Amino acid sequence: AKAGGNLVIDGSFSNTLVTRFPYNPNELHDYTTISEPRHSGLKAWKWTQSVGLTCGIIFNPTANVSSFQVNRDDNYLVSCWIQPKATNTAVGTLRIGATLVDSSGVLPSTDVYTAYSLTTEVPPGQWTQVSHAVVVPAGYDTAQFWAITLTNTPAGEIFFVDDLNVRDNTANTATAVQANLANFVVGLKAKAGGNLVIDPGFSNVLVDRSNPNPLPLSGDPSEPRHSG
């Protein structure tokens, strides 16, 4: 699963026995009813914005745990689908990201995220996928991944969320770095011994030749040539 599968348990909300973790315990939250929007499966999740609170959902790795154990330089792609209710006023801010924690208490907790405008980027009445790539800095060993709406969002606004996803991109990132390094080495090898001049045997007359003489002369077939 860590190589690329979804690390969130039941991100499509099919199993109502899985404990869900609201970002703020005082917010209103529940599974959607059969008449309410869902992106896939039979259900989605919803929360209602409360006065003066940051509200949303935490993505949990197991049925009863809300945080992930992480390591330095781990790279996680966090995503979900969000639909603000069609009657929302399209005001406020949505964030998706993580709270990173140093369990030893030496470093302060820190939030990393991408912010989306509810006015232009996540409009009411339609599903929008939001995401953020989380790279774990040195010193942090625990992460909570989440999608939240901030206190600048009007109270009473309702948000539907579905298909929570956390994927470990660390291996993919390392592969990309290795590929770039391999290309760099190949380039160095070519530069060290290979010919970098295009068509040095003058076989292709379509290749532009740089000539300091403004009146270049065409080659005569009867004139000498070494090859080509």
Side-chain angles (χ1 to χ4, degrees):
K2 198 168 184 181
N6 190 359
L7 303 179
V8 178
I9 185 170
D10 189 40
S12 60
F13 300 98
S14 301
N15 185 353
T16 57
L17 298 179
V18 173
T19 301
R20 307 297 174 177
F21 292 90
Y23 187 83
N24 192 306
N26 296 317
E27 70 187 54
L28 293 176
H29 56 270
D30 203 351
Y31 288 97
T32 55
T33 65
I34 194 168
S35 62
E36 291 178 317
R38 59 189 182 276
H39 185 255
S40 68
L42 299 176
K43 291 182 179 293
W45 185 255
K46 63 181 177 181
W47 73 81
T48 302
Q49 188 70 20
S50 299
V51 177
L53 297 180
T54 296
C55 302
I57 188 169
I58 295 171
F59 302 12
N60 46 311
T62 65
N64 298 299
V65 175
S66 64
S67 59
F68 291 71
Q69 298 304 303
V70 297
N71 298 296
R72 176 181 178 176
D73 295 330
D74 280 355
N75 186 322
Y76 295 93
L77 181 61
V78 188
S79 68
C80 67
W81 289 83
I82 295 281
Q83 181 175 155
K85 191 173 182 179
T87 54
N88 283 11
T89 58
V91 173
T93 304
L94 174 105
R95 288 179 181 174
I96 183 168
T99 299
L100 300 174
V101 178
D102 170 17
S103 61
S104 70
V106 174
L107 297 175
S109 298
T110 184
D111 289 348
V112 292
Y113 55 83
T114 295
Y116 292 83
S117 166
L118 294 172
T119 304
T120 57
E121 297 175 299
V122 188
Q126 66 184 60
W127 288 105
T128 302
Q129 188 178 38
V130 295
S131 64
H132 179 73
V134 176
V135 179
V136 180
Y140 293 94
D141 55 18
T142 305
Q144 278 193 334
F145 300 108
W146 37 253
I148 56 177
T149 44
L150 304 189
T151 56
N152 64 345
T153 305
E157 306 277 76
I158 295 175
F159 297 88
F160 305 104
V161 62
D162 206 352
D163 294 326
L164 312 182
N165 207 305
V166 174
R167 294 183 183 274
D168 188 338
N169 261 359
T170 306
N172 293 337
T173 303
T175 299
V177 170
Q178 290 169 358
N180 289 336
L181 178 60
N183 289 335
F184 177 71
V185 170
V186 169
L188 285 180
K189 288 180 178 178
K191 196 168 186 180
N195 192 350
L196 304 183
V197 177
I198 183 172
D199 188 40
F202 298 94
S203 301
N204 187 350
V205 295
L206 298 179
V207 173
D208 287 334
R209 308 295 176 177
S210 178
N211 193 331
N213 188 337
L215 298 174
L217 300 176
S218 299
D220 187 330
S222 64
E223 292 177 325
R225 58 187 181 276
H226 181 259
S227 68

